[in-house]
């Protein structure tokens, strides 16, 4: 019975790992606990104080504190990168100053207790290709206290954006 249960568990894990890795959109699992610890240590009393504190430099310092636990194949393709570790090291090249307002609001939303956040912004591949993307954050149940597991999806809407511009 134990062998059968272990085999069923291994099969289930392989199926879900395949689902994650082969999904057609960019999926990341990230750990935001260092961001939460940093913000907790700042003693920010309310949302207005938090917003005032989140200058572009602080927001990008916060993004540097995010630990990428996993990223799927579509993520590497979207950001034109062959290695997950390299992508993690080069995040400052992916989300630049144009993304600041969205990243800032995402931090405010998560720190304020929301478990989901979604907004359109601009991102760049490591080769410099500009992309219009919809960035989604979802805090995984069980990680709402420390933000240790946040699922991030990045949907490339560049073609739709260009088509809309052409129609105008």
């Amino acid at each position: 019975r134990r062998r059968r249960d272990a085999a069923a568990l291994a099969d289930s894990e392989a199926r879900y790992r395949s689902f994650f890795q082969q999904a057609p959109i960019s999926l990341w699992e990230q750990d935001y606990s260092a961001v939460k610890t940093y913000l907790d240590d700042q003693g920010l009393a309310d949302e207005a104080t938090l917003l005032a504190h989140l200058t572009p430099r602080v927001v990008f310092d916060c993004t540097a504190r995010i630990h990428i636990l996993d990223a799927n194949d579509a993520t590497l393709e979207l950001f034109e990168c062959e290695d997950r570790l390299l992508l993690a090291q080069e995040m400052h090249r992916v989300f630049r100053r144009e993304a600041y307002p969205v990243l800032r609001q995402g931090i405010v939303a998560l720190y304020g207790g929301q478990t989901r956040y979604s907004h359109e912004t601009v991102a760049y591949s490591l080769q410099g290709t500009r992309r219009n993307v919809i960035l989604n954050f979802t805090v995984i149940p069980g990680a709402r206290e420390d933000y240790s597991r946040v699922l991030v999806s990045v949907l490339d809407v560049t073609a739709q954006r260009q088509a809309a511009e052409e129609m105008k």
Side-chain angles (χ1 to χ4, degrees):
R1 181 176 174 210
R2 280 190 220 168
R3 280 190 223 138
R4 187 179 66 238
D5 290 347
L9 180 60
D11 181 53
S12 177
E13 284 182 25
R15 196 171 56 247
Y16 281 98
R17 166 63 51 198
S18 174
F19 174 77
F20 176 81
Q21 286 300 331
Q22 301 304 315
I25 65 169
S26 171
L27 295 174
W28 314 55
E29 183 180 11
Q30 299 180 340
D31 178 351
Y32 283 58
S33 59
V35 174
K36 183 175 186 319
T37 299
Y38 166 76
L39 293 173
D40 285 347
D41 290 346
Q42 301 308 303
L44 306 167
D46 55 32
E47 187 174 317
T49 308
L50 175 61
L51 283 168
H53 181 73
L54 290 175
T55 63
R57 179 186 162 112
V58 171
V59 167
F60 289 108
D61 283 349
C62 284
T63 61
R65 295 171 192 269
I66 296 169
H67 179 68
I68 298 172
L69 301 172
D70 205 352
N72 70 353
D73 294 342
T75 299
L76 298 178
E77 185 178 320
L78 177 65
F79 295 108
E80 298 178 297
C81 183
E82 294 185 24
D83 181 75
R84 287 166 179 78
L85 183 59
L86 176 63
L87 182 61
Q89 294 169 346
E90 298 295 326
M91 286 307 298
H92 63 278
R93 292 176 46 205
V94 172
F95 294 105
R96 301 178 187 174
R97 195 162 186 78
E98 293 163 283
Y100 161 73
V102 170
L103 297 174
R104 181 178 186 235
Q105 278 308 120
I107 291 170
V108 169
L110 293 178
Y111 195 68
Q114 293 181 33
T115 58
R116 293 182 182 268
Y117 175 76
S118 179
H119 210 287
E120 187 171 338
T121 191
V122 174
Y124 292 85
S125 74
L126 294 186
Q127 304 305 314
T129 307
R130 185 180 192 275
R131 311 240 191 247
N132 294 87
V133 298
I134 298 176
L135 188 61
N136 297 287
F137 301 112
T138 302
V139 181
I140 303 295
R144 293 185 175 148
E145 293 298 317
D146 64 358
Y147 311 141
S148 60
R149 293 186 60 219
V150 178
L151 181 63
V152 177
S153 65
V154 183
L155 179 61
D156 184 0
V157 294
T158 305
Q160 293 86 338
R161 193 54 113 148
Q162 289 172 344
E165 289 298 317
E166 288 173 11
M167 288 178 65
K168 283 182 182 178

